[in-house]
Amino acid sequence: MFRNQYDNDISTWSPQGRLHQIEYALEAVKQGSASVGLRSNTHVVLLALKRSSGELASHQQKLFRIDNHMGIAIAGLVSDARVLSNFMRTECMKSKMMYDRPMPGSRLVSLIGDKAQINTQNYGRRPYGVGLLVGNYDEDTGPHLYECLPNANCLEYFAVSIGAKSQSAKTYLEKFAKDFGEIDVDALIMHGLHALRETLQQDKELNINNCSIGVVGKGQDWHVVEGDRLKAYLDQLESGVAPAASAEDLPQGEAMDTE
Amino acid sequence: MDHFPTNWGNPRSEDVDSYNTYPVASNSGTVPHSVREIAGFGHAGGHPTSHTQQPVVTGTSVLGIKYKGGVMMAADNLASYGSLARFRDVERLHQVADFTVLGASGDMSDYQYVKHLLDSQMIKEYNADDGHTLATPNIYEYLWRVMYNRRSKMNPLWNTFVLGGVHKGEGFLGAIDLKGTPYQSPSIATGFGSHLAQPILRKEIENRGGEENITEEDATQILKKCMKVLFYRDARSMNKFQLATISAEGVKISEPMSVETEWAFAEKIRGYGA
């Protein structure tokens, strides 16, 4: 393996000015299956490719609900992601309890950044081995999509992907990102599926078992698209038909109206 | 004078100490620190923990009323020490946020503490610099949590607060008492005002067919009328008060003002006049 004098602990610099342990943590994110996120002016869609360890095993969970207005997609160590999602859920509950206010996405993302940063500077700790895509809808500032990585970088994006072969998805997203602003949720999901398909290994295909879609947006609480609805999107993807613009077919958020 | 606080209120002789309170202070020397913390002996100087059991310097009623397009509040400028009119230039209406005003009756030092808490919260929000701020309902929820938390420690903040504001184009008017009871209504009056002014406020709103039919000028007149009634009948009040107006334009807290009063009838009151 790579013998490196300067990668024994997190708090030792290499003479090139690099912290190798942090870079290894970023590699852990790349080992995980891909997650894709993209956003219009009204909605955020998160998609993920789910792996299964064998024919008889279930598929891993890639999307997590944080609150009604927020969900995440992950790539990397699922156990680390569960710790972080638990933290995020707790913070959202605290915000509701103390201020009767949904946790602002930007603030929660900064808190995660602070937590992750501590793991990059203190001897004896390890960085998180997971990357997060955070999608949230805020009543005042609209939809937001953030990426949080083990190196404590948290950035906002129009569209982004993380995980194995995520560069292929990024290439797709970069090509079409200028269209995303005004399109409806269905079209956004179809773009997401196209991007996610780019991350597949050869001779693999997206199906209802290995694919997750989560949506949150104006008048729609966070929900995961499953079953027949998911199948309809995948059929469209296979037939190559342009996405139909029927927002009525989408699951509705509880006690809120859509447009 | 006995300078040993644990002796205060207790019999002078330790031979007559039916509640076994006398050796409390000496526990600090013999009881381990951890035990003292748990048992409540843990405060500085080895004195027992003390909780607020009564207000000291107090403010009297705060009034609030909704009108078309906003909320108006009133409170006089007096902080009493018992029945003594001790401080006559105290402002009991405080602007918390761009569209939120806090009014306080009850203990004035607890009010100053809560002002400090709320201002700290607003500074925290401002420093986040992310376009989010606390709106009136958020501040109300926070205040509620603070008050309920303190009553749950058996150490209440001895106030009834009135929070007025405008949020999403709607007036907001709510009160929270020392037990952490939240209460929202088109009109609110604390303390003596809940007996003397609230019936007047309710009648004025009812006569006009709801707060939506009250203009800013109406609201001013209604509150002045209530402050006059309170000055006549509440011995802890003062004819010098301020009005706070919260509307879509923001917050306006007036200079201190007074109302015309008539005392000729007092001559005829037995035991008051000649």
Side-chain angles (χ1 to χ4, degrees):
Chain A
M1 281 299 283
F2 321 103
R3 300 287 309 191
N4 194 321
Q5 237 183 311
Y6 296 99
D7 68 352
N8 280 316
D9 70 78
I10 197 77
S11 57
T12 303
W13 289 100
S14 86
Q16 287 78 37
R18 297 163 57 176
L19 293 166
H20 286 100
Q21 283 293 334
I22 296 174
E23 293 178 19
Y24 298 161
L26 290 169
E27 289 302 315
V29 178
K30 290 185 196 159
Q31 307 269 343
S33 62
S35 287
V36 172
L38 63 169
R39 112 169 190 220
S40 70
N41 291 338
T42 54
H43 288 77
V44 191
V45 173
L46 300 178
L47 307 96
L49 190 60
K50 293 193 287 188
R51 278 193 194 137
S52 154
S53 58
E55 290 274 303
L56 302 176
S58 64
H59 288 260
Q60 61 179 158
Q61 189 186 358
K62 294 279 284 179
L63 298 182
F64 295 83
R65 175 187 171 278
I66 302 300
D67 201 346
N68 284 334
H69 69 299
M70 188 183 293
I72 59 169
I74 63 144
L77 298 183
V78 185
S79 45
D80 282 15
R82 284 168 51 79
V83 169
L84 281 172
S85 70
N86 189 18
F87 167 77
M88 294 171 79
R89 286 171 178 173
T90 309
E91 289 300 314
C92 285
M93 285 167 67
K94 269 159 72 176
S95 183
K96 268 191 199 165
M97 169 89 187
M98 287 293 286
Y99 304 106
D100 187 25
R101 168 173 78 170
M103 185 74 188
S106 55
R107 276 195 208 170
L108 186 48
V109 163
S110 321
L111 288 179
I112 296 170
D114 294 349
K115 268 174 86 72
Q117 198 279 336
I118 291 167
N119 293 334
T120 67
Q121 205 175 10
N122 289 49
Y123 182 82
R125 305 188 83 113
R126 77 163 169 83
Y128 291 112
V130 69
L132 306 180
L133 299 183
V134 182
N136 84 293
Y137 183 79
D138 184 283
E139 270 200 29
D140 297 326
T141 60
H144 297 278
L145 170 65
Y146 302 93
E147 174 201 51
C148 298
L149 291 177
N151 58 10
N153 274 343
C154 296
L155 294 168
E156 181 160 14
Y157 287 87
F158 290 105
V160 67
S161 65
I162 53 173
K165 295 192 73 182
S166 60
Q167 188 53 49
S168 313
K170 270 185 193 158
T171 308
Y172 176 91
L173 293 170
E174 279 163 12
K175 193 170 165 191
F176 292 98
K178 63 179 187 305
D179 305 335
F180 294 166
E182 299 299 328
I183 61 178
D184 66 15
V185 193
D186 284 352
L188 204 59
I189 288 174
M190 291 313 295
H191 274 302
L193 285 172
H194 276 103
L196 191 65
R197 188 162 66 176
E198 300 290 317
T199 71
L200 288 169
Q201 290 172 308
Q202 278 195 334
D203 73 310
K204 289 273 170 59
E205 277 184 43
L206 290 177
N207 59 53
I208 57 166
N209 295 318
N210 69 6
C211 172
S212 283
I213 305 175
V215 183
V216 65
K218 189 172 190 179
Q220 279 189 325
D221 286 350
W222 166 264
H223 57 275
V224 173
V225 179
E226 287 170 316
D228 290 344
R229 290 201 192 92
L230 177 56
K231 187 155 187 343
Y233 287 119
L234 291 172
D235 289 346
Q236 269 185 41
L237 180 73
E238 207 168 339
S239 63
V241 177
S246 55
E248 292 82 47
D249 295 339
L250 276 170
Q252 309 288 301
E254 279 175 16
M256 295 176 99
D257 47 6
T258 35
E259 47 180 64
Chain B
M1 161 162 185
D2 186 351
H3 289 285
F4 196 41
T6 47
N7 287 346
W8 298 352
N10 290 321
R12 290 188 184 191
S13 162
E14 62 185 283
D15 303 326
V16 189
D17 183 9
S18 46
Y19 300 102
N20 290 317
T21 55
Y22 180 75
V24 166
S26 64
N27 274 350
S28 61
T30 54
V31 181
H33 179 72
S34 56
V35 175
R36 269 186 285 131
E37 283 291 315
I38 295 163
F41 297 124
H43 288 273
H47 302 310
T49 310
S50 63
H51 288 169
T52 308
Q53 297 187 45
Q54 59 187 317
V56 181
V57 177
T58 58
T60 184
S61 322
V62 178
L63 309 180
I65 188 171
K66 282 190 190 174
Y67 68 92
K68 188 174 171 56
V71 168
M72 204 174 281
M73 293 161 66
D76 69 23
N77 293 93
L78 178 66
S80 309
Y81 180 62
S83 60
L84 173 72
R86 181 68 182 80
F87 304 103
R88 303 160 70 89
D89 54 357
V90 172
E91 299 193 351
R92 297 197 289 128
L93 298 173
H94 173 68
Q95 180 173 356
V96 182
D98 289 350
F99 297 97
T100 311
V101 169
L102 174 73
S105 56
D107 192 279
M108 287 295 101
S109 61
D110 284 356
Y111 163 56
Q112 287 172 352
Y113 169 69
V114 167
K115 251 196 321 196
H116 169 78
L117 284 184
L118 293 182
D119 288 347
S120 303
Q121 285 294 319
M122 296 314 294
I123 290 169
K124 210 177 110 194
E125 290 288 311
Y126 178 81
N127 288 345
D129 194 25
D130 57 2
H132 293 281
T133 186
L134 292 175
T136 314
N138 308 132
I139 296 169
Y140 187 66
E141 186 84 9
Y142 176 77
L143 188 59
W144 177 12
R145 294 277 91 91
V146 168
M147 297 299 278
Y148 182 73
N149 184 248
R150 287 293 295 263
R151 85 100 222 193
S152 301
K153 290 175 176 162
M154 300 293 281
N155 190 18
L157 294 165
W158 218 284
N159 299 101
T160 305
F161 289 115
V162 179
L163 200 72
V166 172
H167 179 55
K168 290 188 173 166
E170 296 241 332
F172 180 103
L173 184 61
I176 301 165
D177 71 5
L178 76 168
K179 299 187 189 77
T181 320
Y183 171 68
Q184 289 178 52
S185 166
S187 67
I188 276 174
T190 71
F192 232 96
S194 66
H195 303 98
L196 294 174
Q198 182 71 300
I200 302 172
L201 293 169
R202 284 181 181 158
K203 183 157 277 177
E204 293 283 355
I205 292 173
E206 195 181 306
N207 287 346
R208 288 174 168 81
E211 70 265 26
E212 281 303 306
N213 300 320
I214 301 176
T215 64
E216 187 176 327
E217 180 55 28
D218 287 342
T220 311
Q221 292 312 317
I222 293 167
L223 285 185
K224 281 186 176 176
K225 178 172 153 190
C226 290
M227 291 309 281
K228 181 189 278 193
V229 170
L230 282 169
F231 176 58
Y232 275 134
R233 314 221 78 131
D234 175 6
R236 304 286 166 267
S237 70
M238 185 170 67
N239 192 10
K240 178 185 170 192
F241 59 89
Q242 286 172 292
L243 294 182
T245 312
I246 309 106
S247 65
E249 280 85 62
V251 170
K252 205 176 75 212
I253 297 179
S254 76
E255 287 300 306
M257 60 179 83
S258 54
V259 284
E260 289 275 317
T261 50
E262 166 63 52
W263 291 100
F265 67 90
E267 290 291 323
K268 300 185 186 97
I269 297 174
R270 192 166 13 147
Y272 185 90

